[in-house]
Amino acid sequence: MKLNIQNETSRLRAVILGTAESCGPTPKVEDCYDPKSVEHVLAGTYPKEEDMIFEMDSVAKVLEKYDVTVYRPDVLKNCNQIFSRDIAFVIDNKIIRANILPDRDKEIEAIRYVWNKIDESDRIILPEECHVEGGDVMPWNDYIFIGTYTGKDYPDIITARTNIQAVNAIKTLFPHKKVKAFELRKSNTNAKENALHLDCCF
C-alpha cells in the first residue's frame, strides 16, 4: 500500500474508520479519561453503543458511496475503538504509530492487518519517551500543526497526550516541513478549560 497524505482536505482514497462495536458499557466516572466524558456520564447523556454503531456505519456508507476504501479495526471486546486516528496517523508516505495511553496499546493490534500492508521502511515507531496521539497532528501541505502540552505537571494531566519530545521527533522526521506547535489548555476536571486534541479545537 502506498501512502500520500499532504493535508486533511484533499480527495480521500482510503481511510481507517473506527468502530463502536463492543465498546463496552458506559464507563464509571473514575474510569473516564477526560472531563467531557465525566459530564456526560453524570448527566446520563453518554452515547449508547447502538447509536454509535449506527452513526459509524452511516459514515462508512457515505465514504463507500464516493469510492473511498474503508478499513475497519478488528473488534476488540469491551474496548472503545471509535478514534482510530489517535493510534496511527499518516504524514506524506509515512505511517506513524502513536505512543498513547497504555490502556489503548491493544488498539494498534486491531489495525495490524493494515499496518502490515505498508512497506516496512514507511512504518515509524517513535521512541518511548515521545508521547503523541493522532488527534494532535494535522498536516497542512508544507506545514504540520501539532497540539502539545509542556506544563511541568504533564505526567499528572491525563488529558495531555502529546509532549514536546514527540514534536521534536516529528520535526526531525520531516525536515522539509514547517512544524508549528500549539500549546493546548489542559484540565483533568473542567471540560471548559480542556482541549483534548488539536483536531477538537479545529
Side-chain angles (χ1 to χ4, degrees):
M1 181 185 296
K2 295 293 178 193
L3 305 175
N4 179 28
I5 298 292
Q6 301 299 320
N7 57 56
E8 298 293 311
T9 56
S10 292
R11 173 78 163 85
L12 188 62
R13 299 290 180 189
V15 68
I16 301 174
L17 178 68
T19 180
E21 288 185 48
S22 192
C23 65
T26 299
K28 296 176 183 163
V29 167
E30 58 269 22
D31 295 329
C32 291
Y33 286 124
D34 67 276
K36 196 59 165 172
S37 293
V38 170
E39 275 186 10
H40 282 294
V41 169
L42 292 174
T45 54
Y46 194 86
K48 293 180 174 58
E49 183 176 302
E50 60 267 26
D51 295 334
M52 292 188 287
I53 289 171
F54 175 77
E55 287 188 11
M56 297 299 282
D57 289 348
S58 298
V59 171
K61 284 176 186 163
V62 171
L63 292 168
E64 287 162 351
K65 175 183 171 183
Y66 291 100
D67 299 319
V68 177
T69 301
V70 178
Y71 298 98
R72 306 297 294 270
D74 294 332
V75 176
L76 303 173
K77 192 169 173 53
N78 292 325
C79 179
N80 185 338
Q81 296 176 266
I82 292 273
F83 304 109
S84 57
R85 193 174 183 275
D86 281 346
I87 59 174
F89 55 93
V90 177
I91 302 172
D92 286 354
N93 63 332
K94 307 293 184 195
I95 187 167
I96 299 166
R97 176 182 165 165
N99 288 338
I100 54 177
L101 294 171
D103 287 355
R104 296 189 66 187
D105 245 1
K106 60 188 172 186
E107 287 181 60
I108 196 73
E109 295 308 317
I111 62 164
R112 178 73 60 191
Y113 77 101
V114 179
W115 176 269
N116 289 342
K117 290 178 189 237
I118 298 160
D119 192 281
E120 207 167 332
S121 64
D122 292 331
R123 300 183 217 156
I124 307 292
I125 299 175
L126 296 176
E128 198 174 323
E129 68 274 10
C130 299
H131 302 165
V132 62
E133 287 192 2
D136 279 327
V137 182
M138 306 292 290
W140 177 250
N141 303 321
D142 293 336
Y143 292 86
I144 304 170
F145 302 131
I146 305 178
T148 186
Y149 182 71
T150 60
K152 289 180 181 170
D153 56 350
Y154 177 92
D156 303 318
I157 304 293
I158 198 164
T159 58
R161 305 291 172 81
T162 299
N163 63 14
I164 199 68
Q165 290 91 331
V167 173
N168 292 333
I170 290 170
K171 281 182 182 176
T172 302
L173 279 171
F174 301 96
H176 57 291
K177 300 272 191 185
K178 297 173 189 134
V179 175
K180 299 284 185 187
F182 296 86
E183 186 79 10
L184 301 183
R185 204 167 8 182
K186 298 289 181 180
S187 171
N188 285 343
T189 56
N190 184 343
K192 291 184 177 169
E193 293 295 320
N194 182 62
L196 186 60
H197 286 311
L198 184 61
D199 63 2
C200 300
C201 299
F202 280 112

